[in-house]
Amino acid sequence: MDLSYTAEEADFRARLREWLRKTLPSLPPKPSPDDWPARRAYDLGWQRTLYDAGYADVHWDASPTMRLIFLEETEKAGAPYVGANFVGLLHAGPTIAAEGTDGQRARWLPPILRGDEVWCQGFSEPDAGSDLAALRTRAWRDGDDYVVNGSKIWTSHAEVADWCELLVRTDPDAPKHRGITWLALPMDAPGITVRPLRTLAGSAEFAEVFLDEVRVPVANRVGDENDGWRVTMVTLSFERGTAFVGEVVACRRVLRELAAEARKNGRWDDPALRRWLGRLNAEFRALWRLTQWNVSAAETGGGVPGVAGSVFKLRYSHARQELYDAAADVLGPEALDLDRPWVPDRLSSLSYTIAAGTSQIQRNIVAERILGLPKGR
Amino acid sequence: MRFQLTEDQRALRDGVRGLLVRRFDRDALWAAVAEPGLDRALWRELGAAGFFALRVPEAEGGVGLGLPEAVLAFEEAGRALLPGPLLATHLAAGTVAGAATGETVVAAVDGGLVEWLAEADVVRGDAAGAVPLRSVDPLTPLHRAPGAAGVADPVAVLLTAAEQLGTATRACELAVQHARTREQFGQPIGGFQAVKHLCAELLARVEVARAAVYAAAVTGDRADIAAARLLSDEAAVRGARDCLQVHGGMGFTWESEVHLLLKRAWVRAQRGGGVTQSEELLAADLVA
C-alpha cells in the first residue's frame, strides 16, 4: 500500500500547478448562471485553453492517477468546472471513442477536445427514469435516415448543445434491453423543441426535449442497431469512476470554511456541532481515500472503473447533503437567505441522491453485482 | 500511487487467515464461549508466527514490518473474533520480556477498563483497585479500573480500528450468506429489496472504513487515524446490528454467532478515549 506518487506523477502535478497559477488570473469573469449562451462560450473557452496547453484529453488518455491529479489540482486552484463540456468529455466522447467507426471518431472527437462543440444527453424520459431501458422514444428506418418521435427529460445544456447522444427504441418487440439504438442527434434538425425545466433551486439547469418526426442519418448511429444498451453501459461505468474527485476536494474545503464561520459566529462553542463537523471530516477524508483506492484498482485492472463506483456514489451523495445540512446549522436563521453562500448549494445537493442512479438503484447494484444477491423485482 | 495490497501484504494476510482457520475455527470459538479462559498454547503459536513481534525491528529479534502489515493481521483477528489481550501484548512486544514470543500475556488499562486482567502476567497502567464486572461480551473478561482515562495512543486506536474492520467484514459476510439461503415467501430473502439494501449498506460501510483504515496505516497521521476509528466503529457496531436484523429471530438467539460480533464491537468502541475524543480531534483538525 503506497500513497506516494511516482516522479512522473509528481512532475505532472508540479507542471499543472504552475500552469494553473499562470493561466487562471487571465480568464474572463464567470458568466451569470442564467445566461446560457455566455455559459457555453465560457465553458468552451476553458476547454480550448486546456487544449492549447495539452491537457484536453486528460479524461481519455491519461492514466487514472494522472486524471485524479488533474481533477484535484484544478479544483484546488479554483479552475472552471467541466460545465457544458461534461457530456462530450465524459459521456458521448468516451462512447464514440470506444464504439464508433474511424470516420465517426474523426468527425466528433476533435471538436469536443478543441472546445468547438457541446453535447447533451437524451437518455431519461418521463416514463423511463430509474428503469432507463423502458424508454419509448421511437425511431423508424426510412431510407438513409431514422425518423424519431418522442420526448426526453433532464437534458442539461439542451438549449446550447450542438449534438445530443440519443437513445431510441428501434425494435419494440425485442426484450427491452435489446431494442435500443444509440444515435448522434444534430440539435439543429427540424422538429426539435427544447423547453427549460425550472428546478427547486430556481435555476433552469435542465430541459425537456420534444422530438417530432426528426430525421437522423443512419450514418449517425454508433454501434449496431438494437445494440445501444451495451454501447451506453460503456459510458455509464465511465461516469461512476473519477467523476466526483473534484467535488470531494471542494467538500473538504467547504467543511473547513464551515468550521471557520462557526468559530466566528459562536456556534463552535456547541460540542454537538463540533462533533458533527468532526464526523463529516472523517467521512470526507475516507471518501478521498476510497477514491484513491478505486483509482489504484482501476490502474492495475486496466483502467475501467467498476461497480465499486456505486459504493462511492452511495456514500458521497448522502455525505454531501449532510454537509449542507450542517452548513444550515452553522448559519442559523441566515440559512433561509438565498444570498448567503451554501444556501443555494444546499438546495442543489438534494439532486445528488437521485441523479445518475438513485441511492435505491445504487443499493440494488451493490447487492446484486458485488454481493451476488438474487435479482428481484 | 499504488494504494492496493502488495504481493507480500496479501501473502501475510492469507497466512494469518490460514493460521486462524486452522487454530481458531467456529468450534473453537464456541468452545471458548463455553469455557472462558485464555488458550496459552494458541498464544504461544501466535507469538511464534510473529503476531506480537510484527513491528519489532529485526535487529531486536522481531519481524521488522510496519503499521500496514499490523493492520492486516489485526483485521484478520477481528474477522475471526480471536479472544485475548492481543492489542496490549502486541504493543508490549519489545518492551516487556516474553511478550513478543507469547510467553508473557500482557493486559493494559484503557478508558477505565482492563480486558483480561485475571489472565495477565503483566499489567500496564494503573490497575490498582480494579474490580471485575460481569462482561457483556462472553469472550472478553473485564475489570473496571478507577482513575482518569489519558490521551489515547494513536497506534492502539488504529489497531483497534483494524479489528473493528475485520468484525464488520465478518458481519457483512454472515448477513449476505443468510440472505442468500434463508427462504420466506418462496424465495431467498436476499431477493427482497428491504433486505438487499441492508446488505448493500453493510458493504458500503465496510469499504469506506477499509479505505480509511489502510490509509491511516500508511500515513500514521493522527486525524487519519481518528477518521479510521470513527468509520470502523460505525461499520462494526452498525454492521453487526444490521446483520442481526437480517437474521431475524435466529439473530436474537445465543446460538447464533451474530451477538458475539456485536458485543465485541461494543467492547472495542470503548477503547482509545471513546468516540468523543476522536470526533473532537477531527473537529480541531478543521481549524488547525
Side-chain angles (χ1 to χ4, degrees):
Chain A
M1 290 184 265
D2 188 1
L3 284 165
S4 61
Y5 293 89
T6 64
E8 191 196 353
E9 289 160 352
D11 182 53
F12 174 76
R13 185 191 295 275
R15 277 187 294 117
L16 173 61
R17 203 176 272 180
E18 176 60 17
W19 178 76
L20 286 166
R21 195 184 60 74
K22 280 200 292 218
T23 307
L24 293 183
S26 55
L27 286 189
K30 280 188 180 152
S32 148
D34 299 322
D35 187 345
W36 280 98
R39 281 176 66 173
R40 172 191 157 104
Y42 183 84
D43 295 347
L44 287 177
W46 171 240
Q47 180 60 25
R48 179 67 197 208
T49 307
L50 288 172
Y51 178 84
D52 289 340
Y55 292 115
D57 59 351
V58 74
H59 296 288
W60 299 357
D61 280 351
S63 72
T65 304
M66 297 289 200
R67 204 152 60 231
L68 177 92
I69 293 168
F70 176 82
L71 293 166
E72 184 186 0
E73 290 300 325
T74 47
E75 174 57 43
K76 280 183 174 162
Y81 294 115
V82 64
N85 305 299
F86 183 83
V87 173
L89 285 173
L90 293 163
H91 285 245
T95 302
I96 294 162
E99 300 289 330
T101 62
D102 287 345
Q104 289 172 333
R105 283 197 284 265
R107 165 62 190 89
W108 285 314
L109 299 186
I112 293 174
L113 290 178
R114 279 198 308 262
D116 288 339
E117 289 182 345
V118 167
W119 283 69
C120 65
Q121 188 183 69
F123 284 10
S124 298
E125 296 179 7
D127 289 324
S130 290
D131 187 9
L132 179 59
L135 61 92
R136 293 196 305 214
T137 292
R138 275 289 269 131
W140 288 271
R141 250 326 247 282
D142 180 25
D144 290 337
D145 290 337
Y146 287 103
V147 180
V148 182
N149 281 285
S151 67
K152 295 289 175 178
I153 195 167
W154 314 126
T155 308
S156 306
H157 302 102
E159 295 94 327
V160 294
D162 303 286
W163 296 92
C164 176
E165 51 164 347
L166 187 71
L167 290 182
V168 293
R169 183 153 310 277
T170 33
D171 183 355
D173 299 324
K176 64 180 179 180
H177 294 90
R178 305 249 170 85
I180 294 170
T181 298
W182 196 105
L183 297 177
L185 166 74
M187 287 300 283
D188 58 359
I192 299 177
T193 309
V194 175
R195 190 173 78 89
L197 263 176
R198 195 160 182 230
T199 71
L200 61 76
S203 59
E205 280 302 310
F206 304 107
E208 285 181 278
V209 177
F210 299 94
L211 304 157
D212 180 21
E213 298 286 312
V214 178
R215 299 190 79 87
V216 181
V218 171
N220 286 16
R221 187 188 71 216
V222 170
D224 290 337
E225 188 170 283
N226 297 326
D227 196 28
W229 184 258
R230 187 191 59 77
V231 169
T232 302
M233 283 303 114
V234 175
T235 331
L236 289 187
S237 66
F238 206 87
E239 176 182 6
R240 286 171 195 156
T242 48
F244 297 107
V245 167
E247 297 198 11
V248 173
V249 173
C251 283
R252 293 187 69 183
R253 187 184 59 234
V254 168
L255 192 54
R256 300 189 86 87
E257 289 167 0
L258 282 185
E261 175 69 21
R263 286 244 285 205
K264 220 162 57 186
N265 72 12
R267 287 288 292 124
W268 193 249
D269 296 336
D270 177 358
L273 176 79
R274 276 202 313 271
R275 291 176 59 186
W276 189 10
L277 296 184
R279 290 202 79 83
L280 281 166
N281 188 3
E283 180 75 18
F284 282 107
R285 275 171 180 268
L287 285 170
W288 177 246
R289 298 312 189 183
L290 184 61
T291 302
Q292 291 179 311
W293 183 263
N294 287 344
V295 163
S296 293
E299 195 94 59
T300 44
V304 181
V307 284
S310 286
V311 168
F312 178 87
K313 203 256 175 189
L314 194 52
R315 284 288 285 235
Y316 167 64
S317 54
H318 287 269
R320 185 181 177 95
Q321 292 178 350
E322 205 187 325
L323 174 70
Y324 287 108
D325 285 341
D329 196 320
V330 169
L331 287 172
E334 293 185 14
L336 303 179
D337 180 354
L338 283 169
D339 288 329
R340 286 291 305 194
W342 307 321
V343 177
D345 299 311
R346 188 187 191 198
L347 292 174
S348 65
S349 77
L350 298 172
S351 72
Y352 275 71
T353 47
I354 298 166
T358 65
S359 294
Q360 286 67 35
I361 292 293
Q362 303 296 347
R363 290 189 192 104
N364 285 351
I365 292 172
V366 170
E368 290 167 10
R369 300 204 209 145
I370 304 180
L371 297 175
L373 289 172
K375 277 185 94 85
R377 294 181 59 81
Chain B
M1 185 184 66
R2 292 293 177 275
F3 187 34
Q4 294 279 301
L5 300 198
T6 63
E7 293 277 315
D8 286 350
Q9 286 167 341
R10 213 165 292 148
L12 178 123
R13 181 196 63 190
D14 294 347
V16 177
R17 189 175 294 180
L19 170 72
L20 293 177
V21 166
R22 277 196 312 281
R23 280 297 275 114
F24 194 71
D25 60 8
R26 295 303 103 184
D27 290 344
L29 176 72
W30 284 107
V33 172
E35 214 164 316
L38 198 65
D39 180 349
R40 291 264 176 173
L42 172 58
W43 210 251
R44 281 188 296 272
E45 267 184 68
L46 289 170
F51 191 95
F52 303 122
L54 203 58
R55 291 183 308 120
V56 175
E58 279 181 286
E60 296 167 32
V63 186
L65 292 172
L67 270 181
E69 287 76 19
V71 153
L72 293 173
F74 272 79
E75 181 186 342
E76 289 307 315
R79 194 162 162 272
L81 280 187
L82 186 65
L86 296 161
L87 182 59
T89 307
H90 175 93
L91 293 174
T95 321
V96 174
T101 58
E103 293 299 324
T104 308
V105 174
V106 183
V109 184
D110 181 352
L113 292 164
V114 197
E115 300 173 24
W116 294 93
L117 180 62
E119 300 273 359
D121 306 310
V122 173
V123 183
R124 301 178 97 194
D126 181 12
V131 288
L133 51 79
R134 217 156 62 80
S135 175
V136 68
D137 177 15
L139 288 166
T140 312
L142 289 170
H143 278 66
R144 188 86 173 86
V151 174
D153 168 15
V155 173
V157 174
L158 177 62
L159 295 180
T160 297
E163 283 186 273
Q164 294 286 57
L165 172 63
T167 296
T169 306
R170 181 78 190 139
C172 185
E173 288 167 358
L174 285 179
V176 170
Q177 209 174 67
H178 189 76
R180 273 202 204 126
T181 48
R182 166 75 174 170
E183 293 196 9
Q184 288 287 275
F185 303 100
Q187 67 166 81
I189 60 170
F192 296 112
Q193 287 193 340
V195 174
K196 191 178 281 187
H197 288 188
L198 278 179
C199 294
E201 288 293 336
L202 267 159
L203 182 79
R205 282 190 295 258
V206 167
E207 291 307 313
V208 173
R210 184 183 310 284
V213 170
Y214 290 179
V218 174
T219 67
D221 176 80
R222 289 200 70 137
D224 277 342
I225 289 174
R229 182 264 163 77
L230 290 180
L231 290 159
S232 60
D233 271 358
E234 186 197 28
V237 173
R238 196 66 245 173
R241 290 281 291 272
D242 285 352
C243 178
L244 198 158
Q245 186 69 24
V246 168
H247 278 74
M250 281 309 292
F252 191 64
T253 64
W254 185 266
E255 69 187 71
S256 158
E257 186 184 322
V258 183
H259 68 104
L260 300 176
L261 300 174
L262 178 59
K263 291 166 177 174
R264 188 71 69 83
W266 277 341
V267 168
R268 294 196 204 105
Q270 288 296 327
R271 293 188 198 153
V275 162
T276 314
Q277 204 176 91
S278 300
E279 286 172 344
E280 287 285 6
L281 190 152
L282 282 159
D285 169 70
L286 290 173
V287 291

